Amino acid sequence: MDQFRKFSLVFLMFVAHTATQPAPTSLLTPPWTHCVNQMHALPDRWLGFTSPNYPNGITTQTQCSWIITANPGFKVRISYQKMNLTGSKYNCYTQYVEIIDIRAGSSQGKDCGAARPKDYVSQGTKLRIDLKADTAAANHQGFSIKFRATRDPRSGYKNNFAFTVVQRSPGRRRRPGSTGAAAPSTGGGSSVGGRVNLSLRNRIRNTQSNRPANPARSPGRRPATGTTASPLFRPNTV
Ligand SMILES: *[C@@H]1O[C@H](CO)[C@@H](O)[C@H](O)[C@H]1NC(C)=O
Ligand SMILES: *[C@@H]1O[C@H](CO)[C@@H](O)[C@H](O)[C@H]1NC(C)=O
């Protein structure tokens, strides 16, 4: 009887042990995602991208950057189509999107939570959007962002959402949460010409959101690089 109880105990420990081991295949999927994506903004068309694994949530520690470039004389406008990260405005601890305006040389603020942020228009031809995320406890979908080139004379945050005025081809309606014409998300770990600064991740826990006092209010700056658009592009009417 004693022998039997001993055997049962060992057997149970064995079962418990094997049950808690991850399946071998999960080792092929690292618990983090890094990506740097370079994209070109067109004046006559909205392109888009989404957070990795959208709309099924950010399931890994994630550091991704999207670097968007417009032709000389143009600026980059981004428009959030869907936003659902953890946290709430001004309390972006575990997941956030950060806009880095390259000409301004600084962050233009962080966004998180489920409220759709304002559009943003860059000062120069380049904009970088960073996503930094710890694994979410709840399954928030992530974000979907559209972007295009614009000759908008003013830069900064825009109150109105650009996407509401975009002409769409008839017969093709955008559903809520649909990625629409979004370029395929390359959030699976593609790395084009750059690395994400690893030490930045540690600041997520220590840093509160620090959107500067309304950069949109400052008078717009003119594009520095003249107005000689590439003949590849039709004039922007937006
Ligand atoms: C955001 O995601 C949470 C968790 O899945 C969900 O409860 C909430 O309704 C979503 N909010 C929006 C605005 O989509
Ligand atoms: C990474 O970021 C930290 C904190 O902002 C900075 O001190 C460090 O110089 C950066 N490293 C690189 C390689 O950019």
Side-chain angles (χ1 to χ4, degrees), residues 195-201 203:
R195 305 181 71 162
V196 177
N197 185 337
L198 286 174
S199 75
L200 287 173
R201 185 180 68 213
R203 298 196 307 182

Side-chain angles (χ1 to χ4, degrees), residues 46 77-79 81 116 119 148 160-166:
W46 289 91
R77 180 170 190 149
I78 62 163
S79 178
Q81 304 308 296
R116 192 176 164 197
D119 287 18
R148 67 177 299 170
N160 57 320
F161 298 116
F163 213 76
T164 58
V165 298
V166 169

Side-chain angles (χ1 to χ4, degrees), residues 2 12 14-15 30 39 52 59 72 77 105 116 130 136 138 150 152 157 164 178 200 210 212 227:
D2 226 27
L12 281 174
F14 173 76
V15 168
M39 292 174 300
T59 55
R77 180 170 190 149
R116 192 176 164 197
D130 286 0
T150 176
D152 197 328
Y157 285 94
T164 58
S178 142
L200 287 173
N210 54 355
T227 50

